[in-house]
Amino acid sequence: MALDFNNMDGLVPAIIQDNATSKVLMLGFMNEEAYNKTVEEGKVTFYSRTKNRLWTKGEESGNFLNVVSIQEDCDHDTLLIQVNPVGPVCHTGEDTCWGEKNEEDIMFLKYLQDFIVKRYKEMPEKSYTTSLFKSGVNRMAQKVGEEGVETVIEATNGTDEGFIYEASDLIYHLIVLLTSKGYRIEDLARELKKRHKE
């Protein structure tokens, strides 16, 4: 990187973005030393203008910003840093410095996938998901078919509420089947992305 630290008295703005949700979490400033420390340690370090020193986000709270990627803009004087945050980012306790929740409902599917994988590994007794895995791939595939039919019936002759309920059952059972075959819902996202044409 050939960052230009000359425009703002040796500082560059650093926009911090959540790698999973794409939410902008905060804005800070880095001098060259803070930038180098961020690259070396993999945790975002700023130059604090109020403290006149380097400040690693989370050094007191434990709410570190773990670096996923760093990009500079076209003028080489602003950074976009994608992170996996540990806890809330703002000193007020909010998820972001704009008071926004750092979550998207669609991300629950990733959580659900992780939860189902955990069930697959641990196979706890008295779990419906465990019973599906133990029933074998044929029964799991049959359940996807059954839920698909129920979704179609609700879509054509049922209620909106019933349609959403059955479609949710369909997605859940599909994730179970995917997991049993060694795949994840993200594999479907990749396939759809590959097929997508503007």
Side-chain angles (χ1 to χ4, degrees), residues 80-174:
L80 175 63
I81 303 178
Q82 292 189 310
V83 302
N84 290 325
V86 179
V89 171
C90 187
H91 70 282
T92 64
E94 297 285 342
D95 288 354
T96 79
C97 289
W98 288 270
E100 295 178 301
K101 280 283 181 200
N102 184 24
E103 60 188 24
E104 299 286 344
D105 287 344
I106 191 72
M107 296 307 295
F108 180 76
L109 291 179
K110 185 176 186 312
Y111 168 83
L112 181 61
Q113 173 73 74
D114 292 340
F115 181 83
I116 290 172
V117 167
K118 189 170 186 281
R119 283 284 195 259
Y120 187 62
K121 289 176 182 173
E122 296 175 358
M123 293 286 194
E125 290 187 31
K126 298 182 180 174
S127 158
Y128 176 67
T129 308
T130 297
S131 71
L132 285 172
F133 285 129
K134 287 185 174 178
S135 70
V137 71
N138 288 348
R139 177 60 185 143
M140 284 183 276
Q142 183 183 0
K143 280 298 291 179
V144 170
E146 289 171 6
E147 297 300 340
V149 169
E150 289 171 13
T151 300
V152 169
I153 291 169
E154 282 296 331
T156 55
N157 294 305
T159 64
D160 289 346
E161 184 180 331
F163 170 63
I164 293 298
Y165 185 89
E166 294 300 341
S168 299
D169 277 353
L170 174 60
I171 295 295
Y172 161 78
H173 285 90
L174 180 59

Side-chain angles (χ1 to χ4, degrees), residues 23-40:
K23 289 268 188 188
V24 175
L25 304 176
M26 69 175 292
L27 171 71
F29 292 88
M30 292 183 174
N31 62 8
E32 194 165 0
E33 187 180 1
Y35 169 76
N36 289 335
K37 185 174 182 187
T38 297
V39 170
E40 288 165 16

